[in-house]
Amino acid sequence: MVLTPWYTCCNMIRDREPIVGSFHVLCILALIVGSLVQFSDELESAVDYSNRNLTHVPKDLPPRTKALNLSQNSIQELQMSDVSILPELRALRLSHNSIQRLDFGVFKFNHELEYLDVSHNHLQNISCCPVVSLKHLDLSFNDFDVLPVYKEFGNLTKLSFLGLSATKFRHLDLLPIAHLHLSYILLGLVGYHVKDNETESLQVLNTKALHLVFHPNSLFSVQVNISVNALGCLQLSNIKLNNESCQTLITFLLELTRGPTLLNLTLYHVETTWKCLVELFQFLWLRPVEYLNIYNLTITESIQYENFNYSKTALKALTIEHITNQVFIFSKEALYSVFVKMNIRMLTIADTPFIHMLCPPDPSTFVFLNFTQNVFTDSVFQGCSTLKGLQTLILQKNGLKNLFKVALMTKNMTSLETLDVSLNSLVSHAYEGICSWSESILVLNLSSNVLTGSVFRCLPPKVKVLDLHNNRIKSIPQKVTKLEALQKLNVASNSLMDLPGCGAFSSLSVLVIEHNSVSHPSAGFFQSCQKIRSITAGNNPFQCTCELREFVKNLGQVSGEVVEGWPDSYTCDSPESVKGTPLQDFHMSPLSCDTVLLIVTIGATLLVLAVIVAFLCCCFDLPWYLRMMCQWTQTRHRARKIPIKELQRNLQFHAFVSYSEHDSAWVKNELLPNLEKDDIRVCLHERHFIPGKSIVENIIHFIEKSYKSIFVLSPHFIQSEWCHYELYFAHHNLFHKGSDNLILILLEPIPQNNIPSRYHKLRALMARRTYLEWPTEKSKHGLFWANLRASFITKLALVDEEDVKT
């Protein structure tokens, strides 16, 4: 449910003004009723049927409805059956309908009803039996002839707001509610009939705030003597004046402003001549009013110099917002001088076409000046030395451009503590000289300008709160003004790439740096800024890489109350694979981010591997196994590449074995059993040499009839004469064809220098280690025999010895 605008009219001092009179508390009391209405917005059982062109109340309303809005329809009548089904109803709004008669008896079953608005209807009479639980009752802007207040209204002991209207007044119309302590009375005088040569009177006994609404299009002509006991807040709406009707308003206000408790007067929608406005100021200058507010002021006809007596006044603050000046040719000094000479504490002239403001000719009493949304330039208050008592100056939304001149403007304002020049066009890069700020400035608002990083070289030295958000700052220079008193810094919505250090801001405790370009915030920020108790750095394009890891770690170590917006506003922007990931869920291993640790880890791993390999080599002769596996693989490969035509020649044996007689035991006990068990036919000289033939002929014959030739090498082999013959034949008949059919078994180590020089090819073969070594360890014998057997093709077709003989 929406509040009517009259609830806010008692705010004679805006929130942005730091100096608040004690009367502010009084006007807040008038807002208590408003808070009672707001509860309906939060209830789940609020029903809104406003502006539906309804002619009657809907019958299908939820029984548990607590707030019902039927405003801006065409309802003509309210019956008991419309609302009796809503026992929990607390707020009902029926404004802007066509209701002509209201019987309060329809609310017989609505014992919890607190808010009832039937304003802006066509009510002419009501029947009295009001609900005693009502706190807000609005009957204003209807067609009542006299104020509809009956003796039964005296039972509304909880009533706080009462809205009424009538075409005429009687002195004791409000007597039935004289004992009630109302916070707010609204009197709609739009239909009030002015009586010629007749002045009516009305006594308003108890209310803290009184709001009178006049006809918006008629010159002020109401002649009613309204007297109020202990009135604290008075508002008048729709006041249209010329020089002749000006006195009528002053006469009307004479009685209303007589009491010493009236501290606040607010005028809405005022159209007047400059002459009449000055007369009104002069009248109020001598009244007890402390706060005068004028909203939506239109000045007509002409503006000329008017005499004004600036005698001692109770007035503390004058606020004028939104001035429309229909006078185009006038003396600017005649207009501005009236305001600057005022001996009051606070002056607000906002949202006006004023292009300048004069410096007071004499030492001024101003402690607060607010000139928001004018068209002031850099020349305002330049060289002004009469504002030494000024504490707060607001120049928001003007045409200021030169920061150096703004600083110079404050030089003589020796008491200035708060300066707001936000929402201008200030630049700082063009001026590198010394900025002559007032040293008393503690709060400085430079937000929403076009300032760059050079602004940090032109700042008040004792500033505690600095607002630079929404500028064009890309970096903070190394050499800046030392701001040792700075406690709060707001640099949000700029283009900063990193968090600022606290070298120049040793007292910084609050930092706002959200919506910048910070991708890799410095990990040493918290170490540099140890007094930080609040940081807002969310909504930045964080790059979730190793560089960010330490910063995230530091964020996790500080209190959640220190990091504002954590964790929702802190997410990864890149790389694409982690975009949108909250920083608190982003993790990278220390090994991938620490180069030194990575090198140490790799080195340690290699060292461990080397130790393991060395251990295996020492304990299990690993190199021997590897060499044997390599030889086995090569042998199998060569076996597959042997030409078919070679395999098809008349072969009798798989292998011819040449050995020394001293090694015959190994040949017969080890070599033969392990080869012949796999059907490998072996030729031995003592078994197969043909008697009658020479030894050389037998050697040549059986080597040619064998697929492979095996030489069992040992020191004894080198010393054997017959072995020399066999080597000689092999040297001349096999080596020139290649070594694929030659198998060398090193039974015992043979020093290279013991091999005869005429066997140079054998020496070369052994130098390349293309031989099989007989292992002394029994555990390695299996691999040796597997490697040897891999050299043979067991399915090779051999010719039987009997066939050869025949």
Side-chain angles (χ1 to χ4, degrees):
M1 194 164 291
V2 181
L3 288 174
T4 57
W6 303 306
Y7 281 118
T8 60
C9 65
C10 271
N11 288 330
M12 69 285 183
I13 302 175
R14 299 296 180 182
D15 292 340
R16 61 175 177 268
E17 299 177 5
I19 302 174
V20 179
S22 59
F23 180 71
H24 200 188
V25 177
L26 178 61
C27 285
I28 289 179
L29 293 175
L31 302 180
I32 294 177
V33 180
S35 64
L36 297 175
V37 183
Q38 292 177 346
F39 78 90
S40 59
D41 287 331
E42 302 170 359
L43 294 175
E44 296 179 359
S45 53
V47 178
D48 187 359
Y49 277 101
S50 62
N51 199 19
R52 302 287 186 91
N53 200 28
L54 300 176
T55 57
H56 61 275
V57 178
K59 301 298 183 182
D60 56 348
L61 295 173
R64 298 184 64 85
T65 299
K66 294 183 179 180
L68 177 59
N69 187 355
L70 294 169
S71 62
Q72 300 183 39
N73 283 291
S74 301
I75 299 173
Q76 298 182 0
E77 187 178 9
L78 186 66
Q79 300 178 354
M80 182 181 295
S81 59
D82 295 330
V83 293
S84 61
I85 60 172
L86 307 174
E88 298 181 20
L89 187 65
R90 297 178 63 184
L92 176 59
R93 187 163 188 176
L94 286 163
S95 62
H96 296 277
N97 276 277
S98 302
I99 301 174
Q100 298 182 3
R101 184 179 181 279
L102 177 63
D103 183 356
F104 277 95
V106 301
F107 303 114
K108 180 179 180 181
F109 300 103
N110 305 109
H111 302 295
E112 297 184 16
L113 187 64
E114 297 178 348
Y115 179 100
L116 177 61
D117 182 359
V118 285
S119 62
H120 297 276
N121 278 276
H122 302 297
L123 291 173
Q124 296 180 355
N125 59 74
I126 57 176
S127 59
C128 289
C129 185
V131 183
V132 296
S133 59
L134 281 176
K135 298 178 181 179
H136 176 109
L137 176 59
D138 194 350
L139 300 170
S140 62
F141 303 103
N142 278 283
D143 298 338
F144 297 113
D145 186 31
V146 296
L147 293 178
V149 179
Y150 304 98
K151 63 179 181 179
E152 289 82 1
F153 276 52
N155 297 326
L156 302 177
T157 56
K158 297 181 180 180
L159 193 65
S160 179
F161 174 97
L162 178 61
L164 303 169
S165 61
T167 60
K168 61 182 179 180
F169 292 141
R170 294 174 299 187
H171 184 68
L172 299 179
D173 276 347
L174 297 179
L175 184 61
I177 59 173
H179 62 286
L180 300 181
H181 298 282
L182 300 177
S183 296
Y184 199 106
I185 292 181
L186 168 66
L187 293 181
L189 303 180
V190 174
Y192 180 77
H193 296 160
V194 179
K195 289 78 178 174
D196 293 337
N197 300 321
E198 182 180 348
T199 299
E200 297 179 339
S201 63
L202 176 67
Q203 185 175 13
V204 182
L205 298 177
N206 286 307
T207 185
K208 297 180 177 68
L210 175 64
H211 188 180
L212 305 175
V213 182
F214 305 101
H215 197 286
N217 299 319
S218 301
L219 285 172
F220 186 86
S221 58
V222 175
Q223 298 180 18
V224 179
N225 288 332
I226 300 178
S227 58
V228 183
N229 294 340
L231 180 63
C233 185
L234 174 64
Q235 299 101 41
L236 307 178
S237 293
N238 303 329
I239 301 173
K240 188 174 183 180
L241 302 168
N242 57 21
N243 292 338
E244 289 72 29
S245 60
C246 190
Q247 188 59 42
T248 305
L249 175 62
I250 292 175
T251 303
F252 178 80
L253 291 173
L254 190 62
E255 183 65 28
L256 283 171
T257 59
R258 188 183 303 277
T261 59
L262 180 62
L263 304 181
N264 179 273
L265 173 61
T266 302
L267 308 178
Y268 295 93
H269 304 289
V270 180
E271 181 180 324
T272 179
T273 63
W274 173 248
K275 178 180 177 62
C276 180
L277 182 63
V278 174
E279 290 181 8
L280 183 60
F281 287 158
Q282 189 69 79
F283 165 73
L284 295 172
W285 212 254
L286 304 176
R287 311 307 288 180
V289 175
E290 294 185 1
Y291 301 93
L292 173 60
N293 312 291
I294 303 176
Y295 301 106
N296 295 308
L297 170 65
T298 301
I299 301 176
T300 61
E301 296 186 12
S302 63
I303 298 177
Q304 298 177 350
Y305 283 98
E306 302 291 341
N307 293 326
F308 197 95
N309 180 14
Y310 296 98
S311 56
K312 186 176 181 180
T313 178
L315 191 65
K316 295 179 180 179
L318 170 62
T319 298
I320 305 177
E321 291 191 10
H322 191 68
I323 297 179
T324 301
N325 188 4
Q326 297 182 353
V327 182
F328 302 105
I329 301 176
F330 62 95
S331 170
K332 303 296 189 295
E333 188 173 349
L335 176 65
Y336 303 148
S337 61
V338 170
F339 298 107
V340 299
K341 293 179 181 179
M342 289 183 173
N343 50 329
I344 59 178
R345 293 174 57 83
M346 296 178 287
L347 174 63
T348 297
I349 300 178
D351 190 14
T352 72
F354 288 7
I355 62 174
H356 190 64
M357 184 53 62
L358 300 174
C359 177
D362 301 309
S364 176
T365 58
F366 290 132
V367 296
F368 178 92
L369 289 177
N370 181 1
F371 296 112
T372 296
Q373 201 170 347
N374 287 277
V375 283
F376 290 0
T377 64
D378 297 323
S379 61
V380 68
F381 296 137
Q382 289 296 330
C384 186
S385 59
T386 55
L387 292 172
K388 294 186 181 297
L390 187 63
Q391 299 175 9
T392 300
L393 176 59
I394 301 175
L395 295 172
Q396 260 187 32
K397 292 185 180 181
N398 277 276
L400 306 180
K401 296 181 179 180
N402 190 327
L403 182 63
F404 183 81
K405 289 187 176 180
V406 170
L408 190 62
M409 172 193 71
T410 68
K411 184 176 181 180
N412 296 318
M413 300 177 182
T414 54
S415 300
L416 187 64
E417 295 182 355
T418 301
L419 175 62
D420 185 349
V421 287
S422 60
L423 296 162
N424 281 279
S425 302
L426 291 171
V427 296
S428 60
H429 60 273
Y431 307 96
E432 300 293 341
I434 299 176
C435 294
S436 302
W437 291 97
S438 169
E439 294 190 0
S440 60
I441 295 178
L442 302 179
V443 179
L444 178 59
N445 190 345
L446 293 169
S447 63
S448 299
N449 282 283
V450 287
L451 300 168
T452 60
S454 59
V455 69
F456 285 93
R457 299 192 182 103
C458 182
L459 292 171
K462 297 181 181 180
V463 65
K464 292 184 177 180
V465 179
L466 178 60
D467 191 345
L468 284 165
H469 83 268
N470 193 28
N471 276 281
R472 299 180 183 178
I473 303 172
K474 295 183 178 180
S475 63
I476 299 178
Q478 294 293 330
K479 296 182 179 180
V480 299
T481 304
K482 289 286 186 180
L483 303 177
E484 297 179 353
L486 185 63
Q487 298 176 4
K488 180 177 180 180
L489 175 61
N490 186 347
V491 286
S493 301
N494 279 280
S495 302
L496 286 166
M497 306 290 288
D498 197 2
L499 302 180
C502 292
F505 320 126
S506 56
S507 300
L508 189 65
S509 60
V510 178
L511 174 63
V512 181
I513 193 172
E514 60 184 345
H515 295 289
N516 272 270
S517 301
V518 179
S519 57
H520 296 103
S522 173
F525 170 77
F526 289 101
Q527 184 176 1
S528 171
C529 303
Q530 297 186 359
K531 294 184 178 180
I532 281 291
R533 56 180 176 81
S534 174
I535 178 173
T536 306
N539 299 298
N540 275 289
F542 296 111
Q543 289 188 15
C544 290
T545 57
C546 290
E547 290 81 357
L548 191 69
R549 181 173 167 270
E550 192 65 26
F551 176 74
V552 175
K553 178 182 177 182
N554 292 339
L555 281 182
Q557 292 176 347
V558 299
S559 169
E561 298 177 355
V562 174
V563 185
E564 302 290 340
W566 177 267
D568 297 339
S569 300
Y570 297 77
T571 59
C572 298
D573 185 70
S574 63
E576 194 66 28
S577 59
V578 295
K579 188 172 184 177
T581 302
L583 293 194
Q584 68 172 0
D585 297 333
F586 167 70
H587 303 287
M588 292 191 74
S589 66
L591 188 62
S592 62
C593 293
D594 192 331
T595 305
V596 175
L597 181 60
L598 180 62
I599 294 174
V600 171
T601 303
I602 293 175
T605 303
L606 293 176
L607 181 60
V608 171
L609 287 175
V611 171
I612 293 174
V613 170
F615 175 78
L616 292 175
C617 290
C618 293
C619 297
F620 303 102
D621 203 0
L622 183 61
W624 183 89
Y625 281 102
L626 294 176
R627 185 167 67 252
M628 293 296 289
M629 290 297 296
C630 181
Q631 290 177 350
W632 180 84
T633 303
Q634 292 175 349
T635 302
R636 297 292 295 176
H637 178 69
R638 287 196 299 268
R640 294 191 190 99
K641 296 176 64 177
I642 296 176
I644 296 177
K645 64 181 180 178
E646 182 178 343
L647 296 177
Q648 290 177 344
R649 60 192 176 95
N650 294 326
L651 299 175
Q652 291 179 264
F653 303 97
H654 288 98
F656 174 84
V657 182
S658 175
Y659 58 95
S660 170
E661 198 63 32
H662 292 280
D663 301 324
S664 62
W666 181 85
V667 171
K668 294 175 182 178
N669 297 329
E670 295 287 348
L671 181 63
L672 287 178
N674 280 284
L675 292 181
E676 290 180 342
K677 73 178 182 180
D678 289 333
D679 297 327
I680 296 176
R681 190 180 297 176
V682 180
C683 176
L684 297 179
H685 65 273
E686 65 265 30
R687 289 198 316 192
H688 297 100
F689 275 18
I690 301 172
K693 284 188 177 184
S694 66
I695 295 177
V696 174
E697 287 179 333
N698 274 305
I699 291 173
I700 293 172
H701 173 77
F702 284 105
I703 286 178
E704 288 182 344
K705 294 299 181 179
S706 299
Y707 172 50
K708 297 280 187 180
S709 296
I710 299 175
F711 290 87
V712 180
L713 305 178
S714 69
H716 302 291
F717 181 91
I718 299 299
Q719 297 173 3
S720 173
E721 183 178 351
W722 289 114
C723 289
H724 285 183
Y725 279 109
E726 292 168 348
L727 280 173
Y728 178 83
F729 178 80
H731 177 269
H732 288 87
N733 295 280
L734 293 177
F735 280 78
H736 72 281
K737 297 179 181 179
S739 61
D740 286 350
N741 293 335
L742 183 63
I743 299 176
L744 302 179
I745 296 177
L746 186 63
L747 188 60
E748 297 179 20
I750 302 176
Q752 285 282 326
N753 55 7
N754 289 348
I755 299 176
S757 60
R758 62 181 178 273
Y759 304 128
H760 58 89
K761 286 195 176 182
L762 177 62
R763 186 193 299 269
L765 285 173
M766 294 187 67
R768 294 197 301 269
R769 300 181 65 85
T770 56
Y771 51 82
L772 295 176
E773 291 185 76
W774 171 248
T776 57
E777 297 90 342
K778 190 174 181 178
S779 61
K780 299 179 181 178
H781 290 177
L783 182 59
F784 174 85
W785 295 122
N787 200 4
L788 180 59
R789 285 192 292 268
S791 302
F792 298 95
I793 301 177
T794 57
K795 295 183 179 181
L796 187 67
L798 301 177
V799 179
D800 281 342
E801 296 181 55
E802 297 298 328
D803 296 335
V804 173
K805 292 178 181 179
T806 56

